Amino acid sequence: KVTGVQTCALPIYIGHNLIETDYAILDPEDGVVLTQEDIELVDFLCKTMEEATGLSFLNGKYYKGIKVTFHIHEIYPGGSADNFGKAMNIDKDCFRRDGFLTMVHELVHILQFTNVYTGSFPFYAEGHADYWTYKMSEYIQDNNIKGLVELVDLQGEIDKWADIIPDVDINQIYEKNIEEWMDQGCYFAFAESWPAYIYGRFFFLYLEDVYGDANAFLPIYARIPYAI
């Protein structure tokens, strides 16, 4: 069980040098400065996410043994992950409180790509990532994990959800069971950008509430037409 991250701010690493860790290859662009603490944070976060989600970065069904490549930019709004590889783009603020949950969100996508191919269906891919971004915030705070809890804004995540709830017709999710959601039309129903995050997030909350495990849907999802 992971318990903490070292708190050493030196030495520093200035791009453009590749830095390899147990889980990752860090690729900072020219001018981006990483501290030793930043580098240690990556592996510690990956281990913590494996523990919380039950999914593996290195021993999943796909990309087995391949490390995550972090392309770290001076400015990269929003973050992104490559679903035909094992790489992500983030900016340097993701190592600080203001941007940390963006890094968590993109790492959930990497877990998806490694453990079950989610294709290009944002309703599932973004919903699952947004669900686990919140659950990771909760897990880190509940366990008071030193080195991560200082970076998490759980109340901000809760407030964000509270703002969204009035715009979501929960009945559209709760009136269906897993088998109905596998009908071909369902995964296109909310495929437009932001609604995919919102409805997808509540779909995985529904799975947790009704079935006890939101991740249980992932291998079922892999059987949906065009998702394999």
Side-chain angles (χ1 to χ4, degrees), residues 198-215:
I198 297 168
Y199 281 94
R201 174 192 310 156
F202 281 95
F203 174 60
F204 282 97
L205 275 174
Y206 157 80
L207 296 181
E208 177 188 312
D209 184 31
V210 176
Y211 296 92
D213 180 6
N215 283 337

Side-chain angles (χ1 to χ4, degrees), residues 49 53 55 57 81 88 102-115 125 128-133 136:
M49 291 182 69
T53 65
L55 302 173
F57 283 101
M88 51 191 277
T102 296
M103 178 159 59
V104 173
H105 181 99
E106 300 307 331
L107 279 171
V108 177
H109 283 314
I110 298 296
L111 283 173
Q112 294 166 354
F113 309 151
T114 305
N115 292 273
H128 185 254
D130 216 41
Y131 164 85
W132 269 113
T133 300
M136 279 302 305

Side-chain angles (χ1 to χ4, degrees), residues 166-191:
D167 298 323
V168 175
D169 182 357
I170 300 297
N171 291 329
Q172 291 195 51
I173 295 169
Y174 278 78
E175 68 190 8
K176 297 180 174 67
N177 60 32
I178 281 184
E179 290 71 25
E180 288 175 302
W181 277 103
M182 288 182 67
D183 290 344
Q184 191 166 8
C186 292
Y187 56 78
F188 292 112
F190 308 109

